[in-house]
Structure formats: C-alpha cells, structure tokens
Amino acid sequence: MLDKTSQAILEETLTRLSESLESGNIDAALELFQDDCYWRDLVTFTWNLRTMEGKAEIRDMLTTQLARIKPASIRPASDEPASGDAALVEGWIEFDTEVSRGFGHIRIKEGRIWTLLTTMSELKDFEECKGATRPMGAEHGVDKNRMNWTEKLAHERDTLGYTEQPYCVVVGGGQGGIALGARLRHLNVPTIIIEKNPKAGDSWRNRYKSLCLHDPVWYDHLPYLPFPSTWPVFAPKDKIGDWLEMYTKIMELNYWTSSEATNAYYDEEKKEWVVKVNRDGEEVTLRPKQLVMATGMSGKANVPDFTGQDVFKGEQQHSSQHPGPDNYAGKKVVVLGANNSAHDICAALAEAGIDVTMVQRSSTHIVRSDSLMDIGLGALYSEEAVANGMTTRKADLIFASLPYKIMHEFQIPLYQQMKERDAQFYADLEKAGFMLDWGDDESGLFMKYLRRGSGYYIDVGACQLIIDGTIKLVSGVGVEALDETGVILSDGQHLDADLIVYATGFGSMNGWVEDLIDKGTAEKVGKVWGLGSQTTKDPGPWEGEQRNMWKPTQQDALWFHGGNLHQSRHYSQYLSLQLKARMEGLDTPTYKLQESHHLQ
C-alpha cells in the first residue's frame, strides 16, 4: 500500500477537523492534535489575539467559543498544494465562521496537528470594496446637485469631528496610525488620526541625519500599496517620511496635522470617549466610540535621572531629539547607550570627525546586516523569496504561524550560523572591549525585539569604527553623576563632554495613557509589549502574545497599535476588523481578556 501524499494527509485532517467542530464534538477535534500542540488565533475564534498551548487550553477555548463562532468548511486553500512529507506536512487553509472568512496555516507532524494558525480575512457583508466591487469613481447619469470626488472628500473633512463624529480616533500618525487608518478607510469606519507634527512623515524626518531603516524593503511594505521595485533595500528616513506623507493623501485619510490630543476620558454612560484636541490652536472635542493609541514603540522617551544634570554646562538630549553631527564640529560628545540609535549616532559623529565616546553599561546583541538578511530573513523577505513565489501575505503568515512559545527554538540555529559566519568580526569587537550577548537563550535579535524591544544593533558599519578606535568605547561601567564639564563614571573615570546624548530607549506605551487619560487607566491596562518570557526586561507571567497589542484591553474601547513597519502592516488588519465588527454591532465574544501585569 502506497504511503499517503502530503496533500491527502492535509485534506483528510482538515475534513475531520471541520466535521468535528461543526458538530460540536470537541473530544473528536482534540484527537486530531499532538499532545504538544499550539493553536494561534488572530480574531476568528477568540475575538482576541491568543495562542492556546496544549490540548487543555484548546479544549477550554472551544468549550467557551465554539457555539458562538460556528466554524464551517475548513479546507485546503485553493491553488496552494501541501508541502513536506508524512513526517511533517505544511499547508494553507481556508474556512468560514458565522460572521467571517478566514485563512491560516497548519503543520501536521506524524499525522497529528502540531501548529495551527487561524486568522480573520474579512467580515461577511462588510468586505472591503476591491477588485470586482471597487468604487466606480464616475457617477453616470444626470444630477444637478452632483458633487465630484474631490468635493465629497472636502465635505467629509469639513464635517468629520464637527457636525459628524468619528467612530474611531487614532492618536499618533506614524506608520502604525497611517496603516491602521488606511485599513479602516477601506472598511468605511469614520476615523480621525491625530498627529502633532506639521506633516505626515515628520516623525521620521525629525530624527538624526543618518537614520535609515535597518529592515529590508521586502519586510516593510504598507497595506494596499507596496514600495516600487526600484525602492532602496534600506530606505533613508526622509524617503520614508515622503512616502508616508504621499500615502496619507492617496489613501484619503482624515489626518489632522499640527494637532495634539490633550485630554481624554471614557464616558461610561454613553459608552464613548471624550477627547480634547488642540488642532493647530483650535480646541476641538471629539466623541469617538473607540480610541487607539498608536504612539509607537519609540515614542515615550526614557531619560535617566542622574545627579548633576542641572549643573552640566553643555547640551543634553535624548537620542530621539538628536539632529545629527552638523552643529557639533570641534565638540566632545558622550553617548550613553549601545543599541541601534547609539551606534547610528556615534557613527555619524565619527564620520564627521567629531570626538565621540560610547558608554556601554550592559551587553548588546550585534548582528551584521548582511548575515541577518541572508540567514534570518532571506527565505521570507528578499528578492530571492519573491522570485520563488513568496508573497508578503504568505511571508507574514508563515512568520505568524510559529507560536512564540517555541519560536526561539527556530531562531537559535540561525543565530548560531551567524556567529560562526562572522566569528572574526565578533572576536575583534570583544578585543576592543565591547560586551556582546545573543539573548538570554542565544535566540538573537527577533526574540529580543519581541520580548523587550531593545538590546541590539544591526550593524551597518559602526562596529568597525569601534574596532579601529574611531568611536571611543567605555564598557562595563555605569554613570555615577554629571558635573559641569562632563560625565563621572562608576569606576571614577571622567569623560569631558560638550554634548551628552541619552540613547537610553523608550518606555512602555501605557505611559502615554497616563499622560492623556490618567494614571489609574494606565495601571488598569498594565504593561504594553513583551511576552512574559521571564528573560531580561520581559518579566512573567507568560502571555504567549504581545501584551495589550492589537487586541482588547482591560479598559473598554481602548486599543494599542504600533511596532515596526512589518507589524504595522500585518496587525492593522486584525485590529481594523475588530473595530469594524463593533461598529456594525456584531457579536464579538472576547476569549480571555488580557490581564494587567506590571505597571510600567
């Protein structure tokens, strides 16, 4: 008897899973899973972002949700054949629920489901108008009171926020707010984006002169409108700023520039927010049903408090305020920190001939850009991947299909390859006194980013300047105090300085909630970001998903959106569908609302 093909295994497994779930037979469904199994759901079954780990957690979710979700017709995705062999089959899936259509990915190990990813693609009866259902644009016939497209847009912008209220207000108009705004626009959710800068993209333009994306172009597309094939692999900050400004116009977003949300509170009786906005000097009160904080991972500057900061006679600035080297010729600069921004800033200063010292207080994970592109991202996000038929959507979902609980197991061998490939480079760095790490469990950059959002540098040249001494390095010491002329270190050294740059990172996004709403709401929500891995700067308990990101929080109608361009693109889909469903009054039974942990 011939062994079953991977396609036959996929079809048989999905047929049995669909029949079990449609009939409500949870025991039969669980028989299809490995004991060591994972089901990650993005909205469809949980109206949340949740990963169920093991059969007991899957049973609990299905017991709570199955009767209300009503899944049906779980099947192999059309034109997507299974891959692998009988030991491990991988395949794409499609399915329906009572209110949505879904798409996902499955791994079947030795005949039983090992990992299952289910994601919401669209809401039935509330689909985006695209393809065959796209807007006509022109209105044929006779209408004496006709407004053309531009006049309709102008009317909307004149009235929304004044005589008409938005359903959603997004605070923060960087890539996160813009990507979400585009999704909501195409779902016909009236939305206003609040941006403090004069133009979209200024949050990028205003950063230090040398800033470029460290992620490659294939990883960074925005929804609906990918970068052209001529776009640089690593886009300069001003080019990204111009793209975001153009994008807001093409996507016809209600984007309020030179505007700042100054205060907000939730009206429990009316079930809506009251948001005070200073719009270019005019006070406007908005009453949205939903409030999204899209203030970004790199928004709330973390500035340390040192004795003597008030007596230092030079200039002090956080890295987010640093303009670049042009005004510091002949000066001495001390940069406190040794992660991405610190390296970029030090490199630009050194290239300009400025005396710059990096103070490294704790170890940093370094990975060379070329090695990261080849080994870490090449299979999903590269020109080679595109040539092999990889789409952005499929790449995003393959990455999403790996449960966070075991993701480090896939990452460790990749970073071991990088360590071996660049062994001499790392030896030279350590010889220069630089303190290196590979994460608490040797899992490298992506896990550090997901767990803590800091602690790494993607090397695009600064490390060689450290190796050859052009960037001076002091490592393994802390800062004792500042005096009039510089920095006193914990070992007694004194570093003369005309400028001190605090490349000390950013705080949790719930800090913005305390500023805008109140401390009680910030503490009610708890820490934003991290997995609860109990690794450095990611305290437990284990969550299995990013804390409070892109999903319901302990505060009704308050949401968080952000991350890099990849996350802004990918997760904006699931946040926008959750908001649309609520606007339309659909049943959205949230399974296991995010608990609050750690106030900062």
Side-chain angles (χ1 to χ4, degrees), residues 41-50 52 61 65 68-70 97-100 118 120 122-124 550-553 559 574-582 585-594:
D41 181 63
L42 305 183
V43 185
T44 45
F45 282 75
T46 61
W47 286 101
N48 203 342
L49 275 62
R50 298 289 305 186
M52 284 61 68
M61 183 275 287
Q65 299 293 104
R68 297 175 73 177
I69 300 303
K70 297 181 175 63
T97 71
E98 185 172 49
V99 300
S100 72
T118 49
M120 186 176 290
E122 59 185 2
L123 293 165
K124 294 177 180 178
W550 315 294
K551 58 186 176 181
T553 68
W559 310 76
Y574 309 114
L575 178 49
S576 66
L577 289 168
Q578 291 174 82
L579 295 170
K580 175 65 172 179
R582 285 162 172 79
L586 301 180
D587 185 26
T588 57
T590 302
Y591 175 70
K592 287 199 172 180
L593 187 67
Q594 169 75 60

Side-chain angles (χ1 to χ4, degrees), residues 243-263:
W243 182 266
L244 292 176
E245 184 179 12
M246 176 274 300
Y247 189 89
T248 62
K249 294 177 180 178
I250 289 176
M251 293 294 155
E252 299 172 345
L253 307 184
N254 291 297
Y255 191 92
W256 287 14
T257 56
S258 300
S259 300
E260 185 174 1
T262 57
N263 179 261

